[in-house]
Amino acid sequence: MFVQHTIMPNFKYDDMVKVARGKIKVAGQTFHYHCYLYEGLLIDTGPPRARKHIFTFANNEKPNQVFLTHYHEDHSGNAAFLREKFQLPIYSGPQTRSYLSQGFSMPLYRKVLWGQNVPKHRPSVVKDKVIQHKSGTLLAIHTPGHSDDHHCLYDPDRKWLFSGDLFLAKKVRFGMKEDSVPRMIESLQHVLTFDVQTMFCGHAGIVENGSDALHAKLEFLLQLSENTIKLYQKGYNTQEITAQLLSKNKRIRWLTHNEFSPHFFIRSIVKETLES
């Protein structure tokens, strides 16, 4: 299957954040990645397929440490490589360290899209849920839902949120097996107790008015949950509910052998809200 990787021009935000970004196109579908360098801290390391790109970025910009928002290969894929090449300390939450030190399997479509398997390595766990950078402190906020190990980083001085995969879009219609809509809702509600002015998303890029965007996603998921519960109580099964409420795009389901499907969102609502 033909895969096209395009490196996009590096970008600078507010003279404080430098962004390494690219896009990968496979079977007519395009996926973006963004890695953020903030005051010497590189937040996420991109997919293995982008190794040369991230190496060049790190070699030019000289980060002094790395934080991984979660274990997925499009965020952790080059961490072990960067530690070997530049002796960079790698930090994460405790569950992320566990996944990466044990190793994890990837569905075929993710190997095709993002590249090879992630080598086993053992990040250091952030202490006291904070990470220091050159001029201040970022709060590490546990935000499960997309994955149970997911963390965001929040700068209370600038009101910036490095959101990993918490946001992605105001309306997200496809998910993976481990996605949990109820836990996403809880994480969004928690993050929205903070004042988020600018959000730095791992895939959507830089989002101004971050709180508004997060509120929009929260409202979408709350409405999806309400509608799912109503239909389930009327006797519809999860496949029928999925067909009514979410994308009917069969191409991406075919591409991923149903490993990336709207059905997982509906299933998580039913299992965790009604059957637990």
Side-chain angles (χ1 to χ4, degrees), residues 182 186 232 267-276:
E186 291 174 356
Y232 188 77
R267 186 183 69 174
S268 75
I269 295 169
V270 171
K271 290 181 70 69
E272 296 174 45
T273 304
L274 297 173
E275 296 181 354
S276 59

mmCIF file with all atom_site columns, all heavy atoms in Angstrom, residues 182 186 232 267-276:
data_model
loop_
_atom_site.group_PDB
_atom_site.id
_atom_site.type_symbol
_atom_site.label_atom_id
_atom_site.label_alt_id
_atom_site.label_comp_id
_atom_site.label_asym_id
_atom_site.label_entity_id
_atom_site.label_seq_id
_atom_site.pdbx_PDB_ins_code
_atom_site.Cartn_x
_atom_site.Cartn_y
_atom_site.Cartn_z
_atom_site.occupancy
_atom_site.B_iso_or_equiv
_atom_site.pdbx_formal_charge
_atom_site.auth_seq_id
_atom_site.auth_comp_id
_atom_site.auth_asym_id
_atom_site.auth_atom_id
_atom_site.pdbx_PDB_model_num
ATOM 1   N N   . PRO A 1 182 ? -17.143 7.752  28.052 1.00 0.00 ? 182 PRO A N   1
ATOM 2   C CA  . PRO A 1 182 ? -17.389 8.259  29.407 1.00 0.00 ? 182 PRO A CA  1
ATOM 3   C C   . PRO A 1 182 ? -16.149 8.848  30.073 1.00 0.00 ? 182 PRO A C   1
ATOM 4   O O   . PRO A 1 182 ? -16.217 9.877  30.753 1.00 0.00 ? 182 PRO A O   1
ATOM 5   C CB  . PRO A 1 182 ? -17.898 7.019  30.157 1.00 0.00 ? 182 PRO A CB  1
ATOM 6   C CG  . PRO A 1 182 ? -18.550 6.200  29.094 1.00 0.00 ? 182 PRO A CG  1
ATOM 7   C CD  . PRO A 1 182 ? -17.668 6.373  27.887 1.00 0.00 ? 182 PRO A CD  1
ATOM 8   N N   . GLU A 1 186 ? -15.238 12.797 31.311 1.00 0.00 ? 186 GLU A N   1
ATOM 9   C CA  . GLU A 1 186 ? -14.695 13.160 32.618 1.00 0.00 ? 186 GLU A CA  1
ATOM 10  C C   . GLU A 1 186 ? -13.399 13.968 32.472 1.00 0.00 ? 186 GLU A C   1
ATOM 11  O O   . GLU A 1 186 ? -13.183 14.948 33.202 1.00 0.00 ? 186 GLU A O   1
ATOM 12  C CB  . GLU A 1 186 ? -14.430 11.893 33.437 1.00 0.00 ? 186 GLU A CB  1
ATOM 13  C CG  . GLU A 1 186 ? -15.700 11.167 33.860 1.00 0.00 ? 186 GLU A CG  1
ATOM 14  C CD  . GLU A 1 186 ? -15.404 9.848  34.549 1.00 0.00 ? 186 GLU A CD  1
ATOM 15  O OE1 . GLU A 1 186 ? -14.208 9.468  34.626 1.00 0.00 ? 186 GLU A OE1 1
ATOM 16  O OE2 . GLU A 1 186 ? -16.357 9.191  35.000 1.00 0.00 ? 186 GLU A OE2 1
ATOM 17  N N   . TYR A 1 232 ? -30.577 2.753  22.743 1.00 0.00 ? 232 TYR A N   1
ATOM 18  C CA  . TYR A 1 232 ? -30.335 1.435  23.336 1.00 0.00 ? 232 TYR A CA  1
ATOM 19  C C   . TYR A 1 232 ? -31.532 1.009  24.188 1.00 0.00 ? 232 TYR A C   1
ATOM 20  O O   . TYR A 1 232 ? -31.937 -0.161 24.167 1.00 0.00 ? 232 TYR A O   1
ATOM 21  C CB  . TYR A 1 232 ? -29.062 1.473  24.171 1.00 0.00 ? 232 TYR A CB  1
ATOM 22  C CG  . TYR A 1 232 ? -28.625 0.116  24.674 1.00 0.00 ? 232 TYR A CG  1
ATOM 23  C CD1 . TYR A 1 232 ? -27.984 -0.791 23.832 1.00 0.00 ? 232 TYR A CD1 1
ATOM 24  C CD2 . TYR A 1 232 ? -28.848 -0.254 26.001 1.00 0.00 ? 232 TYR A CD2 1
ATOM 25  C CE1 . TYR A 1 232 ? -27.585 -2.033 24.292 1.00 0.00 ? 232 TYR A CE1 1
ATOM 26  C CE2 . TYR A 1 232 ? -28.449 -1.499 26.472 1.00 0.00 ? 232 TYR A CE2 1
ATOM 27  C CZ  . TYR A 1 232 ? -27.812 -2.382 25.613 1.00 0.00 ? 232 TYR A CZ  1
ATOM 28  O OH  . TYR A 1 232 ? -27.414 -3.621 26.066 1.00 0.00 ? 232 TYR A OH  1
ATOM 29  N N   . ARG A 1 267 ? -20.002 1.488  21.615 1.00 0.00 ? 267 ARG A N   1
ATOM 30  C CA  . ARG A 1 267 ? -19.822 0.345  22.508 1.00 0.00 ? 267 ARG A CA  1
ATOM 31  C C   . ARG A 1 267 ? -19.375 0.791  23.897 1.00 0.00 ? 267 ARG A C   1
ATOM 32  O O   . ARG A 1 267 ? -19.850 0.277  24.917 1.00 0.00 ? 267 ARG A O   1
ATOM 33  C CB  . ARG A 1 267 ? -18.807 -0.632 21.916 1.00 0.00 ? 267 ARG A CB  1
ATOM 34  C CG  . ARG A 1 267 ? -18.667 -1.928 22.714 1.00 0.00 ? 267 ARG A CG  1
ATOM 35  C CD  . ARG A 1 267 ? -17.607 -2.835 22.123 1.00 0.00 ? 267 ARG A CD  1
ATOM 36  N NE  . ARG A 1 267 ? -16.263 -2.286 22.297 1.00 0.00 ? 267 ARG A NE  1
ATOM 37  C CZ  . ARG A 1 267 ? -15.145 -2.930 21.964 1.00 0.00 ? 267 ARG A CZ  1
ATOM 38  N NH1 . ARG A 1 267 ? -15.222 -4.132 21.399 1.00 0.00 ? 267 ARG A NH1 1
ATOM 39  N NH2 . ARG A 1 267 ? -13.970 -2.389 22.165 1.00 0.00 ? 267 ARG A NH2 1
ATOM 40  N N   . SER A 1 268 ? -18.466 1.762  23.950 1.00 0.00 ? 268 SER A N   1
ATOM 41  C CA  . SER A 1 268 ? -17.970 2.212  25.255 1.00 0.00 ? 268 SER A CA  1
ATOM 42  C C   . SER A 1 268 ? -19.077 2.891  26.057 1.00 0.00 ? 268 SER A C   1
ATOM 43  O O   . SER A 1 268 ? -19.155 2.735  27.285 1.00 0.00 ? 268 SER A O   1
ATOM 44  C CB  . SER A 1 268 ? -16.773 3.154  25.077 1.00 0.00 ? 268 SER A CB  1
ATOM 45  O OG  . SER A 1 268 ? -17.162 4.438  24.627 1.00 0.00 ? 268 SER A OG  1
ATOM 46  N N   . ILE A 1 269 ? -19.937 3.635  25.387 1.00 0.00 ? 269 ILE A N   1
ATOM 47  C CA  . ILE A 1 269 ? -21.049 4.291  26.091 1.00 0.00 ? 269 ILE A CA  1
ATOM 48  C C   . ILE A 1 269 ? -21.989 3.247  26.681 1.00 0.00 ? 269 ILE A C   1
ATOM 49  O O   . ILE A 1 269 ? -22.385 3.333  27.856 1.00 0.00 ? 269 ILE A O   1
ATOM 50  C CB  . ILE A 1 269 ? -21.806 5.230  25.137 1.00 0.00 ? 269 ILE A CB  1
ATOM 51  C CG1 . ILE A 1 269 ? -20.899 6.391  24.691 1.00 0.00 ? 269 ILE A CG1 1
ATOM 52  C CG2 . ILE A 1 269 ? -23.070 5.779  25.812 1.00 0.00 ? 269 ILE A CG2 1
ATOM 53  C CD1 . ILE A 1 269 ? -21.463 7.213  23.550 1.00 0.00 ? 269 ILE A CD1 1
ATOM 54  N N   . VAL A 1 270 ? -22.342 2.256  25.879 1.00 0.00 ? 270 VAL A N   1
ATOM 55  C CA  . VAL A 1 270 ? -23.262 1.222  26.344 1.00 0.00 ? 270 VAL A CA  1
ATOM 56  C C   . VAL A 1 270 ? -22.655 0.408  27.479 1.00 0.00 ? 270 VAL A C   1
ATOM 57  O O   . VAL A 1 270 ? -23.269 0.204  28.531 1.00 0.00 ? 270 VAL A O   1
ATOM 58  C CB  . VAL A 1 270 ? -23.677 0.317  25.158 1.00 0.00 ? 270 VAL A CB  1
ATOM 59  C CG1 . VAL A 1 270 ? -24.451 -0.899 25.671 1.00 0.00 ? 270 VAL A CG1 1
ATOM 60  C CG2 . VAL A 1 270 ? -24.516 1.100  24.157 1.00 0.00 ? 270 VAL A CG2 1
ATOM 61  N N   . LYS A 1 271 ? -21.430 -0.064 27.287 1.00 0.00 ? 271 LYS A N   1
ATOM 62  C CA  . LYS A 1 271 ? -20.820 -0.963 28.271 1.00 0.00 ? 271 LYS A CA  1
ATOM 63  C C   . LYS A 1 271 ? -20.517 -0.242 29.578 1.00 0.00 ? 271 LYS A C   1
ATOM 64  O O   . LYS A 1 271 ? -20.723 -0.799 30.665 1.00 0.00 ? 271 LYS A O   1
ATOM 65  C CB  . LYS A 1 271 ? -19.534 -1.577 27.694 1.00 0.00 ? 271 LYS A CB  1
ATOM 66  C CG  . LYS A 1 271 ? -19.767 -2.572 26.579 1.00 0.00 ? 271 LYS A CG  1
ATOM 67  C CD  . LYS A 1 271 ? -18.479 -3.172 26.066 1.00 0.00 ? 271 LYS A CD  1
ATOM 68  C CE  . LYS A 1 271 ? -17.844 -4.108 27.058 1.00 0.00 ? 271 LYS A CE  1
ATOM 69  N NZ  . LYS A 1 271 ? -18.630 -5.339 27.248 1.00 0.00 ? 271 LYS A NZ  1
ATOM 70  N N   . GLU A 1 272 ? -20.030 0.982  29.497 1.00 0.00 ? 272 GLU A N   1
ATOM 71  C CA  . GLU A 1 272 ? -19.585 1.666  30.710 1.00 0.00 ? 272 GLU A CA  1
ATOM 72  C C   . GLU A 1 272 ? -20.693 2.448  31.404 1.00 0.00 ? 272 GLU A C   1
ATOM 73  O O   . GLU A 1 272 ? -20.602 2.712  32.604 1.00 0.00 ? 272 GLU A O   1
ATOM 74  C CB  . GLU A 1 272 ? -18.409 2.579  30.374 1.00 0.00 ? 272 GLU A CB  1
ATOM 75  C CG  . GLU A 1 272 ? -17.186 1.826  29.882 1.00 0.00 ? 272 GLU A CG  1
ATOM 76  C CD  . GLU A 1 272 ? -16.071 2.749  29.415 1.00 0.00 ? 272 GLU A CD  1
ATOM 77  O OE1 . GLU A 1 272 ? -15.778 3.715  30.118 1.00 0.00 ? 272 GLU A OE1 1
ATOM 78  O OE2 . GLU A 1 272 ? -15.516 2.498  28.326 1.00 0.00 ? 272 GLU A OE2 1
ATOM 79  N N   . THR A 1 273 ? -21.729 2.818  30.656 1.00 0.00 ? 273 THR A N   1
ATOM 80  C CA  . THR A 1 273 ? -22.807 3.611  31.250 1.00 0.00 ? 273 THR A CA  1
ATOM 81  C C   . THR A 1 273 ? -23.996 2.746  31.644 1.00 0.00 ? 273 THR A C   1
ATOM 82  O O   . THR A 1 273 ? -24.593 2.937  32.708 1.00 0.00 ? 273 THR A O   1
ATOM 83  C CB  . THR A 1 273 ? -23.288 4.688  30.261 1.00 0.00 ? 273 THR A CB  1
ATOM 84  O OG1 . THR A 1 273 ? -22.171 5.486  29.872 1.00 0.00 ? 273 THR A OG1 1
ATOM 85  C CG2 . THR A 1 273 ? -24.333 5.592  30.920 1.00 0.00 ? 273 THR A CG2 1
ATOM 86  N N   . LEU A 1 274 ? -24.337 1.763  30.808 1.00 0.00 ? 274 LEU A N   1
ATOM 87  C CA  . LEU A 1 274 ? -25.564 1.012  31.005 1.00 0.00 ? 274 LEU A CA  1
ATOM 88  C C   . LEU A 1 274 ? -25.339 -0.407 31.509 1.00 0.00 ? 274 LEU A C   1
ATOM 89  O O   . LEU A 1 274 ? -26.197 -0.970 32.189 1.00 0.00 ? 274 LEU A O   1
ATOM 90  C CB  . LEU A 1 274 ? -26.353 0.942  29.696 1.00 0.00 ? 274 LEU A CB  1
ATOM 91  C CG  . LEU A 1 274 ? -26.838 2.293  29.152 1.00 0.00 ? 274 LEU A CG  1
ATOM 92  C CD1 . LEU A 1 274 ? -27.456 2.107  27.790 1.00 0.00 ? 274 LEU A CD1 1
ATOM 93  C CD2 . LEU A 1 274 ? -27.825 2.943  30.111 1.00 0.00 ? 274 LEU A CD2 1
ATOM 94  N N   . GLU A 1 275 ? -24.203 -1.007 31.192 1.00 0.00 ? 275 GLU A N   1
ATOM 95  C CA  . GLU A 1 275 ? -23.999 -2.419 31.522 1.00 0.00 ? 275 GLU A CA  1
ATOM 96  C C   . GLU A 1 275 ? -23.016 -2.629 32.658 1.00 0.00 ? 275 GLU A C   1
ATOM 97  O O   . GLU A 1 275 ? -22.751 -3.754 33.043 1.00 0.00 ? 275 GLU A O   1
ATOM 98  C CB  . GLU A 1 275 ? -23.524 -3.175 30.278 1.00 0.00 ? 275 GLU A CB  1
ATOM 99  C CG  . GLU A 1 275 ? -24.549 -3.192 29.149 1.00 0.00 ? 275 GLU A CG  1
ATOM 100 C CD  . GLU A 1 275 ? -24.075 -3.976 27.935 1.00 0.00 ? 275 GLU A CD  1
ATOM 101 O OE1 . GLU A 1 275 ? -22.909 -4.408 27.925 1.00 0.00 ? 275 GLU A OE1 1
ATOM 102 O OE2 . GLU A 1 275 ? -24.873 -4.139 26.989 1.00 0.00 ? 275 GLU A OE2 1
ATOM 103 N N   . SER A 1 276 ? -22.450 -1.542 33.166 1.00 0.00 ? 276 SER A N   1
ATOM 104 C CA  . SER A 1 276 ? -21.446 -1.686 34.237 1.00 0.00 ? 276 SER A CA  1
ATOM 105 C C   . SER A 1 276 ? -22.123 -1.897 35.590 1.00 0.00 ? 276 SER A C   1
ATOM 106 O O   . SER A 1 276 ? -23.278 -1.581 35.788 1.00 0.00 ? 276 SER A O   1
ATOM 107 C CB  . SER A 1 276 ? -20.565 -0.440 34.290 1.00 0.00 ? 276 SER A CB  1
ATOM 108 O OG  . SER A 1 276 ? -21.327 0.716  34.528 1.00 0.00 ? 276 SER A OG  1
#
